Every structure is written in C-alpha cells, then in structure tokens.
Amino acid sequence: MSKYRVVGNSHPGLSVAEIATGRGRYTDDWKLPGMVYGMILRSPFAHAIVKSIDTSEAESVPGVLKILLPWDVPSKRYNCSGNPPSPLLIQDEPILTDHPLHMGDRIAAVAATSRKACREALMQLKVEYEELKPVFDVMKALEKDAPLLHPEIGGSNLVKTMEAAEGNINTGFEESDYIFEEIYETPAIQNVSLEPNGCICDASVPGKMTVISTSQTPFQERRILADLMGLSENNVRIIKPFMGGGFGERQQLHSQPVAALLSRATGRPVKIIHSREEQMTASVVRHSTRIRMKMGVAKEGLIRAMQVEAWYNTGAYATHGPIVVAAGSRKTNYRIPHYEFKGHCVYTNGPVSGAVRGYGNPQITFARESMLNMVAQKLGMDPIALRLKNHVQTGDRLPGTDHPLLSCAVNSCVEKGETLRKAIEEEDMKNNGQQGLSHPEKKAWGVAFCCHTSGPSNREGMSSSIVMVNDDGSVNLLMGSADIGQGSETVLAQIAAEGLGIGLEEISVTAADTATTPYDTGTFASSQTYVGGNAVALAVEDVKKKMIQRLSEIRKLPPSDITFENGRFTVSGPEGLEHLTLKDATKQITFGAGGSIIAGSSSYKAVEAPPPFAVCWAQVAVDMKTLSVRLLNIIEAVDVGNPVNPEKVKAQVHGGVSMGVGYAMMEEIQVDQRTGKQISSDLLHYQTPLSRDMPGIHVCLAEGWEPSGPFGAKSVGELATVPVAAAITNAIAQATGTAITRIPITDAFRPAASPWPKRAATESPAVTSEKEGV
Amino acid sequence: MREIRIEINGSNYTSRISDNLTLLDFIREEAGMSGTKRGCDSGHCGSCTVLLEGRPVYACITLAIQAEGKKVTTVEGLEGDAAGQLHYIQQAFIDHYGIQCGFCTPGMLMVAAALLEEKPLPETEDIKAAISGNLCRCTGYTNIVHSIRMAAEDKLKQEGGDE
C-alpha cells in the first residue's frame, strides 16, 4: 500500500481510451487545409558524388509542385541532435547533399498534391552518380589511407575522443592479482518505433511556421528550425501529437528541415512521412562498438582497476556521438578505485548513429558484465556475490563522476529477484527440471547488473511546469516534456494531483506545444519522472504559496496563519480553524474581491541525475547439438526509487526486456561489405522479437527511495534494456562453457541451419490465408 | 479506375479507385478513418490489421478491390453492448495495461477480436500465435497477451453470471 493517495497507485494512463478507440491522432492522422505531400530522394550508395540531376521528366508528372536539389537549399550545415546547444554537437549535416555519405542520405526532395505523384516524380528524377570508396569499419576508418568523410572538420575520421578517469590505472593493475582482457563487439540496431517518423510543416504564412511532428525534443526542434529558416522562436510553433514510440528515434530531427523548405517554396503545408525503408536506412541506429575491456582483480574478488577503450561507430554524421560516448563512461555501478575510459567516436559510411534506449550504456554494460562472469569463474566466486562485493551503495560515487549517490537499493533487487528465481526453480524441480526441455537441451541461468540515469548524466537536464488552476478548481498542467507513449503525462499528473490534494481526473495535461508550454530540454535520458516530476512538484508548491498569499490578503491575516496540509488549506482565523479544499479556496480567490487567476510555475535544473539500478537474470535452454538457444525466463529487479505508477514501471521493464532480447539474440543492421548496401532495410530483413520469441518476463520492484526525487522517484525507461543482453549471453556461456564476446549471438552461434524460427508473420493463420489471394 | 463499394463498420463507402489502391489507403484516405495505422506498408508489422468478413488481414497488402462488396471492421467499429461503451477487449487492454504508445493497439485489438470469436478461452500459446504477426516495441507483448486472456475470462464469467 502506498503511503500516498495518488502517487504509488497505478493508473493505466490519461489517454488510453482515445488510443483504444482509434481516436488518438498521430502525425499521419492530421490533415491541414491545402496540405500537400513531400518525399525525399535518397542515395542508393554509401559514398558517391552526384554528377548531375535531370528533373525534366519529374517536373512534368501531374501534381508535382516543387523539386528541391542540393544546390537549391541553404548550404548551412546543422546537427540534427535534439540535445541542448553544445560545442560537442558538430554541425556537419547538409539539408540536401550532392556528396552522399551513407545509403539513405538526402539528395533531392519533391512536393506534390498526392503521395502517388511524389513517388512517380522520385522515379523520374535522373541522377548520375559517381561511386566513391566507402569505409564501414571503425578501425579501417582510422587508417591513414581511409576515405575522409568530413575534410571540412578535420584531417581524420575521428570525431572526438571522450575520456574519464579515476585513480591511477597502472597502480590499479599493479595491485591486482589477476588481469583480464578481452575485445567485445556490439551491433548497430534500430529503434523500430512502430510509428514511422513524420512531420507536417506549414510555412505558408510568410515569417511564421507551424510544425506537427514526431519529436521527443520540441524545444530543440524549434531552435534548430528557427535558425535554419531565419525565424525567431516566437514565430515557430512545434506541436507534438500522439506518438507511436520513440526510444531515442525522435531525439534527432528527421525530415523537418526539408518539409519546411518545401512548404516555404510551395506556400502549402507539406507532410512527409517516412517509409519503413527510410526508417531503416535513414533514421538513427545505436552505435555499434568495438570495446577493449581490461580488468584487474584482487584474489579476494575486489576489482582494483577497469580500463575501457571503445570505438563507437557514429556513421556518416556526428549527431550526438561524442555525448553518447561520454554517457557510456559514467554508468559503471561498481566501486573501482582505478578507472580509465577512452571512447573514440568515429565517422564511417555506415548508417547514422544517434540516440537509442540506453544511450552508450548497453554496449559498455555488455562488455563489463560479460567480463565479470569470466572473473567469477576464474575466482570460483558466485557471480552475484562477486558483483555485490564491489557494488556501489548509498554515499559512494560511480567511477568517473563526482556526486555521491543518495540512494541505492541493489540489495533489495537481489533479494527479491533471487526469491523469484528460486520459486521458478522449485516449480521446475517438481517436473524434474525437465519442464519444456527436449533432448539434448541444457538449462542455465545468467545474471547481469547495471545502472543508468534519471536525466542527462552531464546534468544538462532542465524542465519547467505551469500549473493553472481553473475557476472550478480543476487543473491544467502545462509541460514542455513530450509523452512519446511511455506514459509520462500520466505520471506527471499523478505528481500534481498528489501535491494539490485533488483527483487525477481533475487534471488535464498539455505536454509539448511550444506556443503554450514552457521550455524543457526534451524527452531523453529517462528524464520525465525525475526531472519533469521535480518541475511539477515545484510548480505545485508555487501554486500553494500564491494561493496562501491571496487568501491572506482576502482575510487580512498574515500568510503564516494559513497552511496547506493533507490536501487542504487550514486558516487559523480569529473565529478558530477553517478548512478549505482547493476548490473552495479557488472560488474565493478567482471570484472574490480583487480577483486573480491562479497559476504556479517552476523550472528545475537537474543538478543530480540519480542512477536507478537493475539486476537481470536470464534462463536459457541450449540445444547442445545445434547450439540453438531458447529463452525460458527473464527476471528483472529494478530500483527506481519509489515508483509513482508501479504497473507502468513494470510495463516499461517488459518493453525494455524485449529490446534487450532483440539486442542479444537477433537484431543487427547489416551492411553488405561487397556492395556497400544496407541489407537490413525492412522488417523482413531486420528481425525484432515477436510474441513467440519472448520468454516469461518477471519484474520485481525494489524497496527504494531517492531523497532528491519527486515523492522518492527515480527513472526506469532506458534502464530496463541495459542489462538484458549480458544476462542472456552469460546464461548461454554458463550452459556451453563458451564465453560470448559478440552480440547478436546469431552469428557466433549459427550452425548450418538457422536455429531461429522463420519470421512468425507468415505463420499467422489469418495472414497466410490472405497471401494466397494476393 | 473503377467504382467499388466496401462496407466498413456497417456503413457503405463507394469510391472510384485504381485497381492498385490498397485497402489501407481506402480506409484512411477514401473513407477518412485514421484509427487503422500504417507502420510499414509492406505486410510485416501488423499495425494495419483489420477484419475482412471477420478474418484479420493486413490492410496494407490487401487490395481494396479484394474487399469489394465485403464487410470490413476497423478499430472504429469495435463497440460495447451499450451505446458509448467500450468493446470488452478494448476495456481489457485498458484495465490490464496492454496499451503504451498505442500504435500497434488497433491491429492487436482486431486480431484479438477475431481470436476470441473463434476461441472464447484461448491459452497463452494460442494468443501468442495469434498476435505473432503483429509487432510491438513497447510492451514485450506481456500485457497484451495478459489483456487478451483477461478479456476472455471476464467475458465468460459475465456470460456465466447472466445465465
């Protein structure tokens, strides 16, 4: 039972009825008067020069209004990242280019009265390319004779090296009894939000622009577009509609600059919705990495030193590559006196990398947690005991960071998760451990620990909130932070309702319309509950303070005679105590003498970014003959502080686990090295977990409390994905005796015939029958 | 171009279309209903699933002319017993946290509706098989499978109680 009225109690979400009935309007569901469509011609080559473009036939396609070529658009380069301004955000991206640097790079754009006319015009654009030598491998990209992607930026493909250190790494290795060293590799993966990126830009009124777009960062989008279009920010309005997932996908601008230029050129609102192929080839992927991990351990199991050198493949443009790399350096959840991190962010002609759930952390966690398994084995220690022996606790710091932790409930995570694991084992033993097992399968468990962050770990997170109390005492909560499907609007409304002593149904949230809501850095770094939640809590306090002030003026009493506790005002007047609900007080203030509106506001700069913690167990069954792997169970125990909405926290973990399953087992953006073409260009050639791929998922919520969080809360969103891959591969290693250093495991473990079932889409009885007809 | 008629959610929609227009475009553009979502336009993700004569199909790889004169049900056509009431599967998705971003939800609901019509109390494996052509990136399918199962159980309980 929660000690609060609203916080700590689950609610399915403020907008679920709209979604369930199909009334939620996502970007592609909007139509503006006079609206036309835009499409983008993309490079079929990973590296080329555009020699010429013949537009004559495309122009004659009926319905075509405008064709934009690389030399028609401002030559100004920008950075598509939705992070707040930083010198690390190198501006290397052109709006359209005659020197494509990756397959999917934007060459030309067309606006037409129908999607069909756009498609036809794109087919009729005759582009003459000269193919250039591409480079896809980070190590090759750093060689002297590698093709240079951005000569305008520097003499090498190294974007930046980000470093972090603690103690003295050499001392650490000298103090160690054992040294472990290994190279780990992780793949580029795609967010695969179900809704493709899209936008509608309306610049038809000169000097103004309105944008409806899939954006996690409306205020950064406003800043970048205002700059590109030469407008001041008051004349650019970004509206965030319903959004079909994000996971980092919309932390970069996608087609907005092109749509804005097409709209300005045609004087019509222009809608561009990505095809799935564009999603796969031209929206961001998770940085693939090569990680050299070296660990020094004393024989009693204390980690003395950890040295990481990592190469992050950022693809053709920097986006926020260096910030992703740096974020990875601040997520090690062990007390390590001697720590050194060097992360190289490297250009290649591969897909552009950017934000994907976990932001630089899943890669390092995979390497670190895999290595800790080797350590446990060598030392003959239990893998959990080894980790707990080294784990940070409240008051400690994460290596490479300077703020002491105010909370860490990892012990509670282990306790709850182990209890659950034993229950699963016992149930299994009743069936002699053979339940669901076919010969010659072998079962095993693996474990991995991790931490993440609540808000940007560079402490740049900022959120603001306005609480408007309507004259009937109901509340409009205005937030600049975008709900992208994870339910942040609901969580923020719960925090407001709790503080104001009203019901959740009395609050409406407007989240992210730059014309009406206050600035927020954006929906990333798992910020919403913690950074946004603190902003809401502060705005609520501001409202109460203002209402007490007004009540004191009306009653001619000192403000100190009025308090707000347990959801009501208490006035100690000459006639004794009087209690007022928010409703009663509002009536008196709004309609009483003097009359005034009631609005509280706040800004919260996240000076802390408290890490949430997770412990993940995976149980697998490995066929010892074919080495095919089946996932049986995944348990994830999370310390998210005090969960504001426990069921939604669990739901976040479910989804996080499935992305981790994909990362470990099957997902990888593959590029054919010979032709330079990206093979994973649709959802047939890029597999994400389907219902039948998922094991049983079990979630435990630790008993946690974060003193700096709103009602004790930390974050959950990204955390849930981070430890899963290593837990799975550690389980496989346990079963097979082979350490796994590369994910997805499909390659390393693929026998002659693929162990994976054919994509289940074709197995759906309903669809099969239809296929016969098509 | 030819004129065709499709019955969507009980109302007739007549339109002059080209033969290669998909059922998804007919529903979204000709009939103006946006509840059915376009996730991939190539028959891989299941977001556009609708019922054609009661059977789930991917509207993005079904031609509108294949539905000529037939009955199509979309998410807008799901309704409860009383006016303004949600369909019991919609209610179960809400009650059991089966909805996150919601982009896969209309497709999932349509598959679930067809499944429960055919099999009133499906096992977990039946449900997983039924939705295995529908991609979801938010839920790990956990609460979707649970919502469908609970919808079935609640419905049976309710019907049992009515007798």
Side-chain angles (χ1 to χ4, degrees):
Chain A
M1 267 304 284
S2 173
K3 60 178 173 179
Y4 297 111
R5 208 173 33 84
V6 187
V7 164
N9 294 309
S10 295
H11 186 280
L14 299 180
S15 307
V16 281
E18 279 164 83
I19 291 172
T21 52
R23 292 193 184 97
R25 290 172 83 193
Y26 298 73
T27 301
D28 196 18
D29 302 336
W30 290 77
K31 275 186 181 152
L32 302 183
M35 190 182 83
V36 297
Y37 299 87
M39 277 189 197
I40 296 172
L41 182 77
R42 296 178 179 277
S43 172
F45 303 113
H47 196 190
I49 291 283
V50 174
K51 307 284 279 183
S52 67
I53 304 177
D54 177 357
T55 60
S56 51
E57 281 176 47
E59 274 164 16
S60 64
V61 172
V64 168
L65 301 171
K66 181 73 191 174
I67 295 169
L68 285 177
L69 302 180
W71 32 90
D72 298 333
V73 303
S75 58
K76 186 168 185 170
R77 293 188 174 222
Y78 69 107
N79 185 306
C80 66
S81 162
N83 283 39
S86 159
L88 292 173
L89 300 174
I90 296 160
Q91 301 190 319
D92 57 4
E93 195 172 338
I95 298 172
L96 296 174
T97 184
D98 59 357
H99 182 185
L101 296 174
H102 71 99
M103 180 176 142
D105 218 345
R106 295 178 295 267
I107 308 291
V110 56
T113 51
S114 70
R115 293 180 209 246
K116 202 177 161 192
C118 287
R119 267 192 293 269
E120 181 65 22
L122 289 193
M123 289 207 292
Q124 298 301 336
L125 274 176
K126 304 282 184 294
V127 185
E128 192 192 342
Y129 293 96
E130 181 192 331
E131 277 189 74
L132 300 176
K133 189 183 154 201
V135 60
F136 297 109
D137 181 82
V138 279
M139 305 314 278
K140 284 188 182 139
L142 292 175
E143 286 172 8
K144 264 200 189 107
D145 58 344
L148 198 55
L149 269 80
H150 291 280
E152 79 280 6
I153 294 194
S156 112
N157 288 322
L158 179 67
V159 182
K160 212 123 206 159
T161 294
M162 306 302 284
E163 298 182 47
E166 182 94 43
N168 181 314
I169 197 71
N170 294 326
T171 312
F173 287 127
E174 279 161 24
E175 289 171 4
S176 301
D177 297 309
Y178 300 100
I179 309 272
F180 299 81
E181 192 170 349
E182 189 60 77
I183 303 275
Y184 295 92
E185 286 178 304
T186 67
I189 63 154
Q190 228 282 331
N191 283 294
V192 195
S193 306
L194 257 276
E195 182 192 10
N197 282 337
C199 65
I200 303 169
C201 287
D202 182 3
S204 55
V205 177
K208 284 185 184 292
M209 184 161 74
T210 300
V211 179
I212 298 168
S213 65
T214 53
S215 175
Q216 296 180 216
T217 55
F219 289 88
Q220 312 305 338
E221 181 166 328
R222 179 179 69 173
R223 173 177 53 80
I224 295 167
L225 286 178
D227 185 43
L228 284 175
M229 299 295 283
L231 299 172
S232 57
E233 290 188 4
N234 62 311
N235 286 320
V236 179
R237 178 182 184 185
I238 314 285
I239 300 167
K240 183 216 72 83
F242 272 86
M243 209 187 300
F247 315 110
E249 179 103 66
R250 306 44 153 113
Q251 198 184 332
Q252 295 77 204
L253 269 69
H254 31 91
S255 302
Q256 296 95 329
V258 171
L261 291 174
L262 286 173
S263 176
R264 183 176 272 181
T266 57
R268 313 272 289 267
V270 174
K271 179 195 270 188
I272 297 182
I273 305 290
H274 274 187
S275 68
R276 184 53 64 178
E277 187 180 353
E278 286 178 295
Q279 284 299 100
M280 297 307 297
T281 59
S283 80
V284 300
V285 301
R286 188 192 297 295
H287 290 76
S288 62
T289 58
R290 173 190 160 84
I291 301 168
R292 196 179 63 84
M293 173 78 63
K294 193 174 170 188
M295 226 181 251
V297 184
K299 57 179 181 295
E300 71 276 16
L302 285 174
I303 307 169
R304 302 303 303 163
M306 179 169 133
Q307 187 181 37
V308 182
E309 185 167 21
W311 290 264
Y312 284 70
N313 185 340
T314 204
Y317 299 104
T319 72
H320 23 173
I323 302 175
V324 172
V325 175
S329 76
R330 292 188 285 262
K331 308 281 164 32
T332 285
N333 49 314
Y334 302 103
R335 284 188 307 264
I336 300 176
H338 306 287
Y339 172 66
E340 186 183 276
F341 179 97
K342 250 186 214 160
H344 312 289
C345 182
V346 184
Y347 285 127
T348 69
N349 295 105
V352 179
S353 301
V356 181
R357 194 179 202 167
Y359 205 78
N361 186 3
Q363 296 95 321
I364 302 296
T365 292
F366 168 68
R368 185 192 64 235
E369 294 300 311
S370 298
M371 178 158 279
L372 281 175
N373 239 44
M374 288 169 59
V375 173
Q377 203 175 14
K378 176 81 188 169
L379 269 54
M381 280 182 81
D382 173 70
I384 293 176
L386 168 74
R387 287 171 170 90
L388 281 181
K389 191 166 191 174
N390 290 283
H391 206 279
V392 290
Q393 297 290 352
T394 305
D396 291 335
R397 285 178 302 108
L398 302 181
T401 71
D402 50 12
H403 286 222
L405 301 172
L406 301 177
S407 72
C408 175
V410 66
N411 294 344
S412 171
C413 287
V414 169
E415 198 182 306
K416 291 197 170 192
E418 273 291 293
T419 306
L420 191 54
R421 194 183 68 80
K422 280 174 189 149
I424 292 171
E425 287 270 86
E426 265 167 37
E427 183 62 33
D428 200 20
M429 287 316 282
K430 282 187 200 154
N431 304 287
N432 301 321
Q434 293 300 310
Q435 193 176 18
L437 211 59
S438 63
H439 183 75
E441 278 185 321
K442 190 174 166 187
K443 280 184 187 179
W445 287 93
V447 70
F449 287 39
C450 79
C451 67
H452 198 63
T453 188
S454 309
S457 55
N458 58 8
R459 301 191 168 79
E460 281 183 352
M462 202 264 261
S463 187
S464 323
S465 173
I466 295 176
V467 173
M468 305 244 293
V469 186
N470 302 318
D471 56 50
D472 66 351
S474 66
V475 166
N476 285 19
L477 176 62
L478 311 181
M479 291 294 298
S481 109
D483 192 325
I484 58 176
Q486 82 283 43
S488 63
E489 287 183 8
T490 306
V491 165
L492 297 174
Q494 283 180 273
I495 291 168
E498 186 67 51
L500 291 167
I502 59 176
L504 198 53
E505 65 290 348
E506 293 173 277
I507 299 190
S508 291
V509 184
T510 303
D513 174 342
T514 60
T516 55
T517 64
Y519 179 87
D520 178 279
T521 38
T523 295
F524 58 89
S526 305
S527 303
Q528 280 34 68
T529 299
Y530 180 82
V531 185
N534 269 329
V536 171
L538 287 175
V540 164
E541 288 313 307
D542 190 44
V543 159
K544 290 183 201 165
K545 208 177 99 190
K546 284 178 172 157
M547 290 183 77
I548 287 172
Q549 182 62 36
R550 290 296 296 138
L551 286 172
S552 82
E553 287 164 19
I554 293 169
R555 314 244 160 164
K556 302 192 170 34
L557 287 169
S560 54
D561 286 358
I562 307 172
T563 56
F564 186 93
E565 260 166 39
N566 301 322
R568 60 187 188 175
F569 293 96
T570 302
V571 182
S572 345
E575 287 104 54
L577 293 181
E578 185 195 352
H579 297 298
L580 289 170
T581 63
L582 187 82
K583 263 194 179 72
D584 299 332
T586 303
K587 244 179 233 163
Q588 296 184 9
I589 294 168
T590 310
F591 299 120
S596 96
I597 64 140
I598 302 166
S601 68
S602 72
S603 271
Y604 177 75
K605 180 87 178 181
V607 288
E608 300 287 342
F613 295 90
V615 180
C616 183
W617 292 256
Q619 188 191 31
V620 300
V622 181
D623 184 312
M624 298 309 285
K625 207 168 166 189
T626 63
L627 291 182
S628 72
V629 177
R630 283 193 305 129
L631 290 177
L632 302 177
N633 286 291
I634 289 189
I635 303 168
E636 192 167 335
V638 293
D639 161 27
V640 299
N642 181 39
V644 175
N645 191 327
E647 286 302 325
K648 284 190 101 63
V649 168
K650 288 183 192 166
Q652 282 292 305
V653 178
H654 295 151
V657 166
S658 79
M659 281 185 131
V661 165
Y663 196 42
M665 308 288 283
M666 60 187 80
E667 290 184 41
E668 178 167 28
I669 296 283
Q670 291 178 320
V671 176
D672 184 316
Q673 301 288 324
R674 193 172 51 83
T675 60
K677 303 274 186 197
Q678 185 176 317
I679 303 162
S680 325
S681 60
D682 60 31
L683 294 174
L684 194 62
H685 297 90
Y686 182 90
Q687 306 216 333
T688 61
L690 295 169
S691 51
R692 282 168 156 179
D693 300 319
M694 292 305 296
I697 307 180
H698 317 272
V699 184
C700 309
L701 304 182
E703 301 294 333
W705 181 269
E706 168 57 38
S708 72
F711 299 100
K714 294 191 276 193
S715 82
V716 62
E718 294 173 279
L719 171 78
T721 288
V722 178
V724 181
I728 292 170
T729 54
N730 283 342
I732 298 168
Q734 183 68 28
T736 60
T738 309
I740 295 168
T741 56
R742 187 184 188 283
I743 48 172
I745 59 165
T746 34
D747 278 352
F749 271 82
R750 184 178 287 150
S754 166
W756 307 114
K758 287 244 168 11
R759 186 165 183 88
T762 54
E763 293 171 17
S764 171
V767 178
T768 315
S769 68
E770 259 321 289
K771 278 209 153 164
E772 291 161 8
V774 176
Chain B
M1 298 287 279
R2 67 166 102 174
E3 187 168 289
I4 67 161
R5 179 185 62 80
I6 301 177
E7 185 186 321
I8 306 177
N9 304 330
S11 301
N12 280 318
Y13 291 83
T14 306
S15 196
R16 264 187 77 75
I17 61 158
S18 53
D19 287 358
N20 64 1
L21 190 85
T22 65
L23 179 58
L24 178 60
D25 279 326
F26 191 94
I27 293 167
R28 287 184 61 91
E29 307 298 331
E30 305 296 320
M33 283 183 244
S34 61
T36 306
K37 302 302 179 199
R38 188 192 310 272
C40 70
D41 234 4
S42 47
H44 299 145
C45 80
S47 303
C48 65
T49 307
V50 298
L51 302 185
L52 178 60
E53 295 290 338
R55 296 181 60 80
V57 297
Y58 290 162
C60 74
I61 53 166
T62 303
L63 292 174
I65 53 174
Q66 288 177 283
E68 182 172 3
K70 293 184 181 167
K71 286 187 176 127
V72 170
T73 312
T74 70
V75 67
E76 289 93 342
L78 291 178
E79 48 191 27
D81 297 333
Q85 198 186 23
L86 293 176
H87 187 272
Y88 74 99
I89 304 177
Q90 290 172 320
Q91 193 59 52
F93 269 62
I94 292 174
D95 293 343
H96 302 288
Y97 297 81
I99 296 172
Q100 284 192 39
C101 85
F103 208 77
C104 76
T105 306
M108 291 285 186
L109 288 170
M110 301 324 287
V111 172
L115 173 69
L116 297 192
E117 191 65 36
E118 200 179 293
K119 204 167 199 173
L121 192 60
E123 296 300 326
T124 299
E125 284 312 309
D126 299 328
I127 299 171
K128 281 190 167 186
I131 63 166
S132 66
N134 291 64
L135 205 62
C136 170
R137 199 60 160 165
C138 299
T139 66
Y141 308 97
T142 312
N143 285 349
I144 293 176
V145 172
H146 181 60
S147 296
I148 296 173
R149 171 71 191 191
M150 293 310 288
E153 285 184 19
D154 289 348
K155 175 85 169 168
L156 286 180
K157 225 179 276 167
Q158 205 185 350
E159 283 172 354
D162 287 347
E163 276 161 15

